[in-house]
Amino acid sequence: MGNELSRIDYIRELINDCRYDDAFEALEIAQEKEPDNWELFYEYARLQFELGDYSSAVANYEELIKHHQSAIIYYNLGEAYECNGQLDKAIGSYLKAITINEKFPFAYKKLGMLFMAQNDTESAIEYFEDYLKLDIAQDEKESVQKVLKRIKK
């Protein structure tokens, strides 16, 4: 168990340090040893996202949610869909993130932004207002309040 955690921590550090080739190599070795380890799927998808391979990130996040579901995984899947130009699927993923954790602020903001981009002002206002009710930084609140003021005109 200790080796598993240290291997995952090592991979995370490689990704954080932008040592992507080393991270891919470490992930391949780790996945050979533990093909069902969902944390490895998560890190692999995260690495693909960081490198701009959004289609592969989507595929890995989709595989991951078959085995493990969390608000952050659905949020990350939503971002991958968004970057891959699949906005309806992105919205669905952000909504699932909120279903799992209704106090997950990032998904509310993303939903507000996506609905605003789709000219669905009513839905954008709803999600931005819900976002403001959550525990977020004051400067973030002020920024979103300015957006709301602008779109409510």
Side-chain angles (χ1 to χ4, degrees):
M1 185 75 147
N3 288 339
E4 175 187 326
L5 291 176
S6 64
R7 184 170 34 249
I8 289 171
D9 289 339
Y10 174 66
I11 291 166
R12 288 177 180 149
E13 285 303 313
L14 290 172
I15 294 170
N16 289 339
D17 289 344
C18 301
R19 295 175 52 197
Y20 300 131
D21 289 339
D22 293 337
F24 268 122
E25 186 177 318
L27 275 164
E28 287 174 359
I29 292 168
Q31 285 183 319
E32 284 176 15
K33 294 179 181 184
E34 301 176 64
D36 297 326
N37 185 329
W38 69 266
E39 287 184 274
L40 295 173
F41 273 101
Y42 178 81
E43 296 305 326
Y44 196 60
R46 194 179 94 152
L47 179 57
Q48 290 168 319
F49 183 86
E50 289 291 322
L51 293 174
D53 185 357
Y54 305 121
S55 294
S56 295
V58 163
N60 273 293
Y61 283 128
E62 286 175 341
E63 183 63 29
L64 178 58
I65 60 173
K66 292 177 186 175
H67 309 285
H68 184 81
Q69 298 181 4
S70 73
I72 191 68
I73 294 170
Y74 275 111
Y75 177 81
N76 289 346
L77 176 58
E79 282 194 315
Y81 279 138
E82 190 176 344
C83 290
N84 208 35
Q86 298 171 286
L87 299 185
D88 289 338
K89 286 187 174 187
I91 288 169
S93 289
Y94 295 138
L95 289 170
K96 286 178 184 172
I98 290 171
T99 300
I100 291 172
N101 180 355
E102 63 186 32
K103 294 186 179 193
F104 190 71
F106 311 110
Y108 287 93
K109 183 176 182 185
K110 283 285 194 170
L111 285 165
M113 292 172 17
L114 286 178
F115 284 124
M116 193 169 72
Q118 293 181 333
N119 293 318
D120 182 349
T121 306
E122 187 176 315
S123 295
I125 290 169
E126 175 187 342
Y127 284 99
F128 282 138
E129 286 178 344
D130 288 345
Y131 177 65
L132 290 174
K133 295 175 189 171
L134 300 172
D135 186 22
I136 57 174
Q138 185 60 36
D139 61 334
E140 183 67 15
K141 282 186 181 192
E142 291 168 5
S143 174
V144 171
Q145 286 168 338
K146 287 178 186 175
V147 171
L148 277 171
K149 186 177 179 180
R150 209 172 56 239
I151 64 175
K152 283 183 174 182
K153 288 183 177 182

